[in-house]
Amino acid sequence: MRRWIAALAMSIAVTAPLLSSIALAAEHTVVLHHMELDKIEGEMRVGDVVTFDNRSDMAHNLYITYSDGTVDNLDTQVPGVKRSLTLRVAGPTVIRCWIHPIIKSELVILDEEGDAGR
């Protein structure tokens, strides 16, 4: 029993610093009203999950363009539907609606270390 306790204590001592350095992905919600997105608050990092909640009375189709030119498309989102995505690329990012180009929001996604990338 003492060996088991000693092994457990050693395991905790070795893994605790490693676990504390791993950042957990955060979850964010952005509400889409009639023709605008709520202001995006706080820091967003690669790996975070963002949920877009369509509370307007019309369909939208949001897409995210990353700094490297790649795009994530959330497809058509009818009223009352939520769509989520995991942020993939650090740097300046633009969110727009294919249907309503007037809807636009910009944010900077940080990498896992907190840098803004490109």
Side-chain angles (χ1 to χ4, degrees):
M1 182 71 159
R2 285 186 179 176
R3 283 187 179 174
W4 184 83
I5 293 172
L8 178 61
M10 179 63 92
S11 175
I12 291 171
V14 169
T15 59
L18 296 174
L19 292 176
S20 66
S21 68
I22 297 173
L24 297 176
E27 295 184 13
H28 309 272
T29 299
V30 178
V31 176
L32 178 58
H33 297 284
H34 184 65
M35 293 296 254
E36 64 184 14
L37 291 167
D38 271 355
K39 183 176 179 186
I40 297 173
E41 301 286 342
E43 294 181 342
M44 293 195 186
R45 297 177 184 261
V46 170
D48 285 1
V49 175
V50 182
T51 299
F52 294 91
D53 182 0
N54 185 359
R55 294 189 190 167
S56 73
D57 58 354
M58 63 182 69
H60 294 284
N61 187 332
L62 297 178
Y63 66 99
I64 290 81
T65 304
Y66 296 102
S67 59
D68 68 356
T70 59
V71 175
D72 279 331
N73 183 357
L74 291 167
D75 296 320
T76 302
Q77 191 174 352
V78 296
V81 170
K82 296 178 183 179
R83 303 256 186 206
S84 298
L85 71 101
T86 301
L87 300 174
R88 301 182 298 120
V89 180
T93 305
V94 179
I95 303 167
R96 296 194 87 144
C97 178
W98 288 108
I99 302 168
H100 309 101
I102 192 170
I103 297 174
K104 179 181 178 183
S105 186
E106 298 178 8
L107 70 139
V108 175
I109 299 171
L110 306 175
D111 65 15
E112 291 86 357
E113 288 78 39
D115 294 325
R118 300 172 194 227

